[in-house]
Amino acid sequence: MSPPLATIVDITLLVVAMAVAWLFKPWRTLRHEPLQNPWLFAMLAVPVLWWTRHLLPSNVALHVSGAAMLVLMFGWPLTIWSLPWIALAAQALTWRQWPPSLNWADLLDQTVWSGVIPATLALLLGLLMRRFLPKHLFVYILGRGFIATALAITLTGALGALAQHRPESLSLDEWLLGHWLLGWGEAISTGMLTSIFVAFKPHWMLTYSDQRYLPGKGGKS
């Protein structure tokens, strides 16, 4: 039996995103030594965040994404190539027998809708802000860390509704409201972490540069 159209679309989105990300050589990011340990920690922490959806009633597909924060820290190309491994690790946390059985549909769904789409939206919104807004520290923190994250998660919910990705257990209003609330909740954590890292660990933020956002200091990227 041929796969449903939604699955074909998800596979296409994932393959295209990974192919485009590959052109930007995502592995080169990990040659930057200050990012190596934070990336390894993220590969352990984010799967736990994705696993928390299993604590919700009926395994509702709403949970913290973390994709916007990953884009800010490691860039979009490395984030895209990290997402399948995050989804796999999150699924591995549910295994109770050996050998385990992979739920490929769920793996694809999580990678695309909890990772690729919000990460790409966060990137696009961030690029628009960098292009049209003043080059100021608070624009980076509030704009890319807070507002872009909230909009990316909210728009992901809207796209999911249009693509009929919404589970039958949730009404349209519940689905959109859930993403709206989740978006602002995640925006608070992303904005807070962004402000902390910019202040104390700016070398952990690949998308941040003192030269761009604090030109008077003449800092390094």
Side-chain angles (χ1 to χ4, degrees), residues 88-147:
L88 179 61
Q91 190 174 125
L93 293 174
T94 67
W95 292 344
R96 296 292 184 270
Q97 60 183 12
W98 192 263
S101 58
L102 283 174
N103 185 337
W104 292 104
D106 181 71
L107 194 64
L108 176 64
D109 177 86
Q110 290 292 299
T111 302
V112 173
W113 288 96
S114 295
V116 171
I117 292 178
T120 303
L121 289 173
L123 171 72
L124 295 176
L125 291 168
L127 291 177
L128 287 174
M129 291 178 181
R130 191 172 75 174
R131 174 65 178 83
F132 294 106
L133 296 181
K135 297 177 176 61
H136 193 280
L137 176 63
F138 289 103
V139 171
Y140 179 82
I141 294 174
L142 296 178
R144 299 198 66 176
F146 187 85
I147 297 175

Side-chain angles (χ1 to χ4, degrees), residues 20 71 85 111 119 158:
V20 173
V71 170
W85 308 106
T111 302

